[in-house]
Amino acid sequence: MLETSARLLRLLTILPSRPAWTGTELAERLDVTVRTLRRDMTKLRDLGYPVVATPGVAGGYRLTAGSTLPPLLLEDDEAVAVVLSLSTATSHTVTGIADTSTRALAKIERILPARLRQRAAALRSTTVALTGSPPTVDPGALTLIAEACQSLHRLTFGYRDRDGSLTTRTVEPHRLVHTGRRWYLVARDVDRDAWRTFRADRIDQPKTTGIRFRPLDPPDAAAFVADAVSTAPYRYQARVRVHAPANAVAERVPAGTGVVEAVDSTSCLLMTGADSPTMIAVHLVLLGHDFTVLEPPELIDELAVLAGRLATAHERSSPS
């Protein structure tokens, strides 16, 4: 049996991993009696940990939010995951998150056991982020938008379109979607009575109106944004049946350039777009799979032109 102090530390590791635990489950995990477990829970409460006990057959114990942040105990793999996440946060698109992550990372690394510090150091020293200069989002604005999504409160904000014009929007927010480079808000535009995507970095001074709403047939947020950024903005929108499994095609199609939907085990539907059919045709050829263009007709014509050009190049390049 573990000593009391060791059991308390073990309890603090176990409790947050699930919403609730029965007394019997915890007692078995710690190899103690239920009576000893009750005394341990009392000690945790005396130390300031907000442990709630629910009586009855369906009752148990759970660790709730308190007024202060208690020490956080992590399993080995959890600690490494946190370190890796914080160390790669410099590529994130939230203003100031890199500095905050660096401070948090320094605190965690000081208390890591030597074996974990070595693993974390190996990951950090051998991992390089391919970063660009994506626009960043104010964390306060992002938090306000997220809270409005959760509480179902309307938002109002200024929004700058792609051409730079500024309009005032009133929306019913649904979800935030992060594509890796940008944040998008999926919301129903009240004045236009339509679902829209809004780039979060173009949202200016969001405010809650205090008006609650009931969601009206909200879309799948991730799919809605994927379509909005990969197909809808472009002059030519293509539907192509690719004769390969969806997972194989999805590996070659980034989320921002197309949407892949499985048709059956051997084929899938690719929706993509570009401002010229030539760009789509080249992209399709580079997929490395056979395909059939369903639309638009301009893309089918472009394939004929491209095929002729490639055939001519092959003939001229072949040894005589």
Side-chain angles (χ1 to χ4, degrees), residues 140-301:
L142 207 60
T143 302
L144 186 147
I145 293 170
E147 290 175 342
C149 291
Q150 185 179 53
S151 62
L152 302 180
H153 278 94
R154 282 185 177 179
L155 281 175
T156 182
F157 51 78
Y159 189 70
R160 196 169 299 280
D161 293 328
R162 185 166 25 173
D163 60 3
S165 59
L166 184 66
T167 57
T168 299
R169 305 295 184 95
T170 299
V171 304
E172 295 175 347
H174 175 49
R175 289 290 186 273
L176 282 166
V177 177
H178 187 217
T179 65
R181 287 181 53 83
R182 292 189 175 92
W183 288 88
Y184 291 87
L185 168 64
V186 176
R188 191 180 76 87
D189 191 311
V190 175
D191 296 327
R192 293 161 178 77
D193 190 25
W195 287 96
R196 294 284 190 269
T197 61
F198 300 92
R199 268 180 49 175
D201 58 284
R202 293 177 178 170
I203 292 176
D204 182 50
Q205 298 182 344
K207 299 176 183 176
T208 55
T209 64
I211 300 174
R212 290 181 61 86
F213 66 91
R214 179 178 298 176
L216 299 175
D217 193 23
D220 179 295
F224 192 74
V225 169
D227 177 70
V229 301
S230 66
T231 305
Y234 299 105
R235 179 181 177 185
Y236 295 97
Q237 301 172 10
R239 291 176 64 250
V240 180
R241 183 160 182 164
V242 183
H243 304 286
N247 59 346
V249 176
E251 291 177 356
R252 306 292 301 273
V253 181
T257 61
V259 178
V260 179
E261 295 180 357
V263 174
D264 51 42
S265 61
T266 61
S267 67
C268 61
L269 190 65
L270 169 63
M271 283 78 71
T272 188
D275 288 329
S276 76
T278 304
M279 293 295 296
I280 303 176
V282 171
H283 177 63
L284 291 173
V285 171
L286 293 177
L287 281 179
H289 299 291
D290 293 337
F291 60 87
T292 303
V293 174
L294 304 179
E295 60 181 3
E298 293 89 345
L299 178 55
I300 299 173
D301 295 339

Side-chain angles (χ1 to χ4, degrees), residues 61-115:
Y61 297 95
R62 58 191 178 91
L63 190 63
T64 63
S67 58
T68 59
L69 183 65
L72 184 63
L73 299 178
L74 302 171
E75 300 285 0
D76 286 7
D77 56 345
E78 295 171 339
V80 172
V82 170
V83 169
L84 186 60
S85 297
L86 289 173
S87 63
T88 57
T90 54
S91 61
H92 289 180
T93 52
V94 179
T95 306
I97 198 69
D99 292 339
T100 305
S101 299
T102 300
R103 293 198 305 271
L105 182 60
K107 293 177 182 178
I108 290 177
E109 287 190 329
R110 286 192 202 102
I111 61 174
L112 284 178
R115 67 181 187 282

Side-chain angles (χ1 to χ4, degrees), residues 25-67:
E25 289 174 325
L26 289 174
E28 289 177 353
R29 291 285 292 267
L30 298 171
D31 192 22
V32 297
T33 65
V34 173
R35 183 177 180 181
T36 299
L37 178 67
R38 291 196 196 100
R39 289 200 298 265
D40 287 347
M41 290 300 183
T42 299
K43 290 186 176 70
L44 286 181
R45 293 190 192 96
D46 292 341
L47 291 171
Y49 291 92
V51 178
V52 174
T54 305
V57 177
Y61 297 95
R62 58 191 178 91
L63 190 63
T64 63
S67 58

